[in-house]
Every structure is written in C-alpha cells, then in structure tokens.
Amino acid sequence: MKVGDKQYQSIWLNADDNRIINIIDQRLLPFEFKILSLETVEDVFYAIRDMALRGAPLIGVAGAFGMYLAALEISNRSNPADHLRNAARYLSSSRPTAVNLDWALKKQLELVGRDDSKEILVKKLLENARNICAEEIEKCRLIGESGLPVIEKISRQKKEETVNILTHCNAGWLACVDYGTATAPIYLAHDRGIKLHVWVDETRPRNQGARLTAYELGEHGVPHTLITDNAGGYLMKKGMVDLVLVGSDRTGSQGDVANKTGTYLKALAAKDNNIPFYVALPTSSIDRSIINAEDEIEIEERDPEEVSHTEGYLEGEIVKVRLCPEQTKISNFGFDITPAHLVSGLISEKGIVKASKEGINSLFTE
Ligand code: MRU
C-alpha cells in the first residue's frame, strides 16, 4: 500500500544486504515513519514482543524470516537442526495469542533435514520465508475479493448511499504485510467507487485503531471517523452502522474467534441490532487443534503500564502520561473470544464460510 507516493509493505528483505530484514516501526506511527533493521533472531523476538511489528499475519511472516536469520547464526559448534528448533521455541515465546507465528515456525521447521548443512538451510529457509510472505500478501488480496460482495450487496440495498463499516483494532496492511484482512474488502470497494465510510474504534490500550487504522485509511483516502471503543453500540442502535468487519488472531476449529479485546462486545451489540458481523482472516490464522476456544486459547496479558498510561504527541515528541492514581491495580487482557454464533461469516482467501466446524473444514478440503 502507499505511504505518500511510495509503495510499502510492512516487512521486506533489504535490497542491498539480504542478511537484513526491514520493518516499519509501528510503535512510532503515525507521528514518525521509521524503518528498522532486524539482523538477529533476538532482534526479531524483541520486535514482536515489544510490538515494533504486530498483527497476526505479520507476526507469522516475521517469525519465518526470524528462522532464516537463525540459520545464518548456525555456528560450527552447534547441531543445525537443534539450533533451529531452539530458535523456533524462542521466537514462539515472544507473543502467545496469534497462531500465525507457530504456523510459520512449523512451516520452516518442516524443511529442516537432519543432515542439512548451514548453507543448504540458509538457502531453504530464506526461500521459504519469501514464499510465506508472498503467499500471505496474495491471501489478503483474495480476502478483498471474497469480501467485496458483502459490501456491494449492502450498497445496492442502500441504493448506492454510503455504506458504514465499523472496525476494531488494526487489521490493515500494517498488520498483514499488504492489503490487510478486514481492510482488504474496504480498500477494494473504495477503489471500485463504492461509497463507504469507516468507523474506527480507537482500541485502547495501545490505540491501534487511532494510530494505525486511521493512518492507513487516511493515506489511502478512505473516508473514516475515529470513535471511542464504547461508542459502537450507540451508533449501531442509531442505524449508523451497516456492517462490522474485524480481523482474527486465532480462530478455533468450531469457528470461535480470538481477536483484540473488545471485539466480543462489538459482536454482541451487532447481534442485538441485527447488523452483520464478519471476521476476515487468512487460513493461516485458523488453529484446528482448538476445540474449546474459551479454555484453550492463551490470552496474552500485557504490561499494566499500557492501561495506566497513554501515549500521544506533544510539541514534536511522543510522550507518555499517567491516567490513574499511582497505586491502582490494573488488568490488561489483550484479546477476547467471540463465540461462533455471533459471527455472520468468515471471509477467507478461499471465499466466505460459516463460522462453524463444517465451514472451517470446508476451507481445508482441496
Ligand atoms: O496486539 P496486536 O496489535 O498484534 O493485535 C492484533 C490485531 O491487530 C488484531 O487483533 C487484528 O484484528 C488481527 S491481526 C489482522
């Protein structure tokens, strides 16, 4: 997608030195646009843990490139396969909820032959990381194609009046290398001339909506309005929302969806107001080993300081301010589970399916 006049992805291999992975530092957006260089497995671990990069599909792709960097770090003294297995374990521990990370690490480990030399492994893991990256981009492009009819239908029903879409967090190109998941149908519909407008939830505590989604939509010229996380229910009741479109960090085998905390409340409000609630996701965000999502998906608990403080821009600087009394006890669950019965459909690269066991299974039969 474009930033100014330039085309960007959220992660890429450095064109001059292929031992370097570049990312956009998402902790500074929209105030500063800074490119970071990741040169070691540790760099990738901290970039994921500290959310310099974030969003389920991007975390997966970063993990794949992290494994390539791990192959470059194989020394004469280590057993290559053991070294890579340890690197995968280490990267996997950076953040727990998005399944894309383990999915991509597994895809890399599957390639590791017991007797492979360092040179062979470097070559294999680089090639595979590039393929995983390209495939994730293509999946997001296809999610756009799959989801477009949903927006077109509402536009027709409204006699081409503006379609109002509510989204939560950032499931845009920054979270996904390119196009985004929830935003892919939005960008496509907008580019095809459908009149639409997006309600952007600010998404406390890290404000991915206010900082990243508003930034992305603004750069692409998509009309949008930033709202507080709690305003969605009121807007839905007032008939100001036609569709809710969100992403997913992990979707279980029964169609239950783990996504950024607050998603569940939007789904409840959508149900009560008869508003379609769709989840856009690549199949790499599906974890078929999960039967009971509520019990089995690990919900990340993050630093209390994300809640007690907030970050903003003041006189040319990013500053942090405290929001509550110093000793206040804080809870900071990063994600929640939206049960399948509240989801109108899953928009994947292979089309739209029901949020159910049958729907999920149909995505995995050739
Ligand atoms: O904590 P984050 O910013 O990594 O959260 C992930 C998300 O951006 C959302 O939950 C998103 O909807 C899924 S990723 C496309």
Side-chain angles (χ1 to χ4, degrees):
M1 301 295 292
K2 277 193 168 162
V3 176
D5 290 339
K6 237 180 133 182
Q7 200 71 28
Y8 276 97
Q9 294 179 5
S10 57
I11 192 166
W12 65 97
L13 192 68
N14 187 289
D16 300 321
D17 182 348
N18 73 359
R19 302 167 72 91
I20 297 176
I21 310 303
N22 287 123
I23 61 165
I24 299 166
D25 190 342
Q26 299 192 28
R27 294 167 302 187
L28 306 181
L29 288 172
F31 314 119
E32 288 172 35
F33 187 86
K34 186 175 167 195
I35 291 169
L36 290 182
S37 291
L38 310 180
E39 300 180 35
T40 64
V41 179
E42 242 191 342
D43 288 348
V44 176
F45 174 90
Y46 285 109
I48 297 173
R49 195 199 68 174
D50 299 341
M51 292 176 71
L53 65 89
R54 29 70 48 207
L58 175 58
I59 291 173
V61 173
F65 278 116
M67 290 299 288
Y68 155 61
L69 295 180
L72 288 171
E73 288 170 13
I74 292 169
S75 75
N76 292 336
R77 281 163 287 125
S78 58
N79 172 292
D82 287 347
H83 172 88
L84 290 170
R85 266 192 296 275
N86 288 338
R89 257 195 302 275
Y90 173 60
L91 287 168
S92 167
S93 68
S94 57
R95 287 190 76 190
T97 305
V99 71
N100 307 60
L101 179 57
D102 285 337
W103 171 85
L105 296 174
K106 188 164 164 253
K107 268 182 154 309
Q108 288 289 48
L109 283 180
E110 277 166 4
L111 287 182
V112 178
R114 230 173 1 137
D115 301 321
D116 283 348
S117 66
K118 173 177 175 176
E119 289 64 37
I120 298 276
L121 288 166
V122 166
K123 195 163 169 281
K124 274 190 189 174
L125 297 192
L126 172 59
E127 195 181 305
N128 201 35
R130 289 176 112 150
N131 288 342
I132 289 171
C133 184
E135 283 164 17
E136 290 301 277
I137 293 173
E138 179 58 7
K139 283 179 202 159
C140 284
R141 193 188 68 73
L142 291 169
I143 287 169
E145 300 280 355
S146 303
L148 180 65
V150 175
I151 300 176
E152 283 176 331
K153 186 172 164 204
I154 297 170
S155 170
R156 274 196 307 275
Q157 283 164 348
K158 289 189 79 178
K159 309 228 172 332
E160 266 89 61
E161 262 183 52
T162 302
V163 178
N164 287 297
I165 303 168
L166 185 139
T167 192
H168 191 65
C169 197
N170 173 259
W173 71 267
L174 285 163
C176 307
V177 191
D178 215 346
Y179 303 106
T181 51
T183 55
I186 293 174
Y187 286 132
L188 192 56
H190 172 78
D191 292 349
R192 301 240 172 122
I194 294 175
K195 273 209 274 178
L196 56 82
H197 163 264
V198 183
W199 297 109
V200 179
D201 282 354
E202 60 181 347
T203 321
R204 274 285 290 155
R206 289 188 69 100
N207 293 317
Q208 290 96 326
R211 295 183 64 160
L212 305 175
T213 305
Y215 169 76
E216 274 194 24
L217 294 175
E219 289 294 315
H220 200 77
V222 178
H224 62 281
T225 305
L226 182 64
I227 54 174
T228 60
D229 289 330
N230 295 323
Y234 174 78
L235 297 177
M236 289 186 211
K237 259 206 151 28
K238 288 282 174 192
M240 294 160 83
V241 178
D242 300 306
L243 167 69
V244 181
L245 203 42
V246 298
S248 166
D249 291 272
R250 189 183 295 240
T251 291
S253 65
Q254 314 295 305
D256 307 309
V257 175
N259 195 51
K260 182 55 60 193
T261 194
T263 303
Y264 171 50
L265 291 177
K266 297 301 167 303
L268 283 173
K271 186 75 166 182
D272 196 42
N273 290 282
N274 247 322
I275 293 166
F277 178 98
Y278 280 90
V279 176
L281 78 178
T283 44
S284 47
S285 295
I286 295 173
D287 183 349
R288 289 206 289 164
S289 74
I290 298 291
I291 311 288
N292 183 338
E294 206 64 60
D295 292 344
E296 295 169 36
I297 295 181
E298 183 181 348
I299 300 295
E300 180 181 21
E301 278 191 80
R302 297 191 54 86
D303 188 345
E305 203 181 275
E306 291 181 351
V307 178
S308 62
H309 289 66
T310 198
E311 247 182 29
Y313 200 59
L314 184 70
E315 291 165 5
E317 253 184 275
I318 300 175
V319 292
K320 227 179 220 183
V321 292
R322 183 153 51 82
L323 294 169
C324 59
E326 216 160 348
Q327 303 311 328
T328 305
K329 195 172 160 210
I330 308 282
S331 148
N332 188 12
F333 291 101
F335 300 86
D336 61 24
I337 310 284
T338 300
H341 69 90
L342 297 178
V343 178
S344 310
L346 303 173
I347 304 175
S348 79
E349 76 271 16
K350 297 182 179 175
I352 300 181
V353 297
K354 270 187 135 172
S356 65
K357 187 176 169 187
E358 295 69 34
I360 296 279
N361 284 344
S362 72
L363 292 172
F364 294 90
T365 44
E366 285 312 313

